[in-house]
Amino acid sequence: AVYVAHLIQVLMYFLFISQKNKSLKMLRMTGNKIGNKGAMQLAAMLQINSTLEEIDISDCDLATQSVVAFAIVLKNNRKICAINASRPLLFSLQEETTVHMAQMLVVNKTLRELHLGKHDMTDTGVERLCEALKLNVSLRYLDLHCNRITRDGAKCLSEVLKQNPSLEILDLSSNRIEDDGAVYLSELTSSFLPSRLSVTSNNIGKEGLKSFNEAMKVNSCLTHIYIWGNKLEEPVCVAFSRLISSGRLLEEHTDVSPYEVDDHVFLAEVSHGLRRHYYWTSRYGEYRDSSNSALALMQSDSLALQIHPDSHS
């Protein structure tokens, strides 16, 4: 309780100085338990701040009320280009946060990066998002990792990609799209697949994974694909080994590496991933120099403020 109170005091001071902020463009609050009260104060600040471009409020114990508040703010904010609102504490099954984020995407024309991981999102929520994405041409990076999306949600997303090819990065890791969902995504023509796609840990078997392999042979747009955590049977291992050895799929653009034992081909996991803001992301150099990060959506030399959970001591 003392730690939370101290955090809110720090946050209130930041809110006070932010009104005159002219240089701070990125704020990362990841892991700080500011809760609903602190998040509501932060959302109120964004109504008057016109400088911040990126904000990370993941794993901050946000409740439905504060997530909805951020969605409402983003309807009018014309500066923020990226927001990470992953892992809130939600106790409703009505998916209110997803509905409000979808409504925001209909009118927002500046947001390029949206992280909604661990929102307990179902195919119904994805359908609402897809309805909005058909009208949104600015979003380039959509992160829906660790939700409850199945093949039906993947089908909705594939239909959106046919109508709106602006999405360049799609993270569906740790869902359950299975073979059918993978086939829906891979059957898109070469003009529509995103350039970076993560389907790790989705219970995808041989049929679905080989469909991605075939898609890469005819799709020059898809350059990065992450498949670890699925059913990597030997036919899949052989197919991806050939894809890598041919140079079509660069080793630093996927999270598997082929090796042979007794004339059998296997795939080993390597530490290459999609998420741009993650613990093992490179701390130096350009984003394009790190195989553990997504596209550099924000090219600026802005001053960034990071508040770490252990910085209160």
Side-chain angles (χ1 to χ4, degrees):
V2 175
Y3 172 45
V4 173
H6 177 67
L7 270 179
I8 292 179
Q9 289 179 353
V10 173
L11 183 59
M12 292 300 294
Y13 175 73
F14 170 71
L15 297 177
F16 174 75
I17 64 173
S18 67
Q19 297 182 34
K20 298 182 179 180
N21 167 45
K22 300 297 181 183
S23 58
L24 186 66
K25 295 187 177 182
M26 177 180 174
L27 173 65
R28 297 186 66 182
M29 297 289 295
T30 311
N32 289 284
K33 307 306 180 181
I34 62 175
N36 202 59
K37 181 178 178 180
M40 291 297 292
Q41 296 285 352
L42 191 57
M45 177 272 292
L46 292 177
Q47 293 181 321
I48 58 176
N49 186 281
S50 60
T51 308
L52 277 174
E53 296 179 358
E54 297 188 57
I55 183 167
D56 188 341
I57 45 173
S58 60
D59 193 19
C60 288
D61 287 359
L62 275 63
T64 299
Q65 181 188 19
S66 51
V67 177
V68 170
F70 279 104
I72 294 173
V73 168
L74 287 171
K75 285 185 176 181
N76 301 310
N77 189 292
R78 295 294 180 266
K79 196 68 177 178
I80 294 178
C81 297
I83 184 168
N84 188 342
S86 296
R87 200 184 178 277
L89 298 181
L90 306 177
F91 299 98
S92 171
L93 299 178
Q94 301 301 313
E95 300 192 68
E96 295 95 333
T97 57
T98 303
V99 171
H100 280 271
M101 286 293 180
Q103 293 172 350
M104 175 273 295
L105 287 173
V106 173
V107 297
N108 185 289
K109 305 301 180 185
T110 55
L111 193 68
R112 291 189 284 172
E113 183 176 335
L114 177 61
H115 299 259
L116 297 177
K118 299 184 180 180
H119 272 243
D120 206 27
M121 190 183 305
T122 66
D123 293 334
T124 301
V126 172
E127 186 175 357
R128 295 297 300 270
L129 274 181
C130 288
E131 291 172 358
L133 288 171
K134 291 176 182 178
L135 304 173
N136 182 293
V137 295
S138 62
L139 195 70
R140 295 171 57 193
Y141 183 178
L142 179 61
D143 174 10
L144 301 177
H145 78 277
C146 294
N147 282 293
R148 292 193 289 146
I149 302 169
T150 70
R151 63 177 188 176
D152 293 333
K155 184 176 182 180
C156 286
L157 287 166
S158 68
E159 293 298 322
V160 167
L161 292 169
K162 290 179 183 178
Q163 299 182 39
N164 183 358
S166 61
L167 272 180
E168 298 179 14
I169 306 173
L170 179 59
D171 189 348
L172 290 175
S173 57
S174 300
N175 282 281
R176 202 172 182 83
I177 68 171
E178 301 184 319
D179 281 340
D180 288 344
V183 171
Y184 284 136
L185 289 172
S186 62
E187 282 181 346
L188 294 172
T189 63
S190 60
S191 301
F192 300 115
L193 271 172
S195 62
R196 301 193 180 196
L197 176 66
S198 177
V199 290
T200 61
S201 301
N202 265 273
N203 198 39
I204 304 173
K206 179 172 63 175
E207 180 185 357
L209 292 172
K210 290 190 72 174
S211 70
F212 284 126
N213 182 273
E214 294 300 318
M216 290 203 71
K217 292 179 180 178
V218 298
N219 186 333
S220 60
C221 298
L222 183 59
T223 58
H224 298 61
I225 187 165
Y226 305 94
I227 63 169
W228 183 259
N230 294 294
K231 301 173 183 179
L232 303 180
E233 300 177 34
E234 188 165 10
V236 174
C237 298
V238 171
F240 273 86
S241 175
R242 290 173 178 171
L243 205 61
I244 293 172
S245 63
S246 69
R248 172 59 187 88
L249 179 61
L250 300 180
E251 289 193 20
E252 61 268 26
H253 291 175
T254 186
D255 58 350
V256 292
S257 178
Y259 66 97
E260 290 189 24
V261 176
D262 295 332
D263 296 325
H264 291 282
V265 180
F266 301 90
L267 294 176
E269 183 185 17
V270 291
S271 297
H272 298 167
L274 183 61
R275 277 175 267 175
R276 186 156 69 93
H277 298 311
Y278 203 53
Y279 298 114
W280 36 250
T281 297
S282 174
R283 293 177 178 270
Y284 55 87
E286 298 293 335
Y287 287 125
R288 63 176 181 271
D289 296 331
S290 173
S291 57
N292 300 325
S293 58
L295 289 176
L297 301 182
M298 304 293 296
Q299 292 292 342
S300 66
D301 56 354
S302 60
L303 172 65
L305 174 64
Q306 301 187 39
I307 301 179
H308 296 285
D310 57 353
S311 61
H312 66 285
S313 57

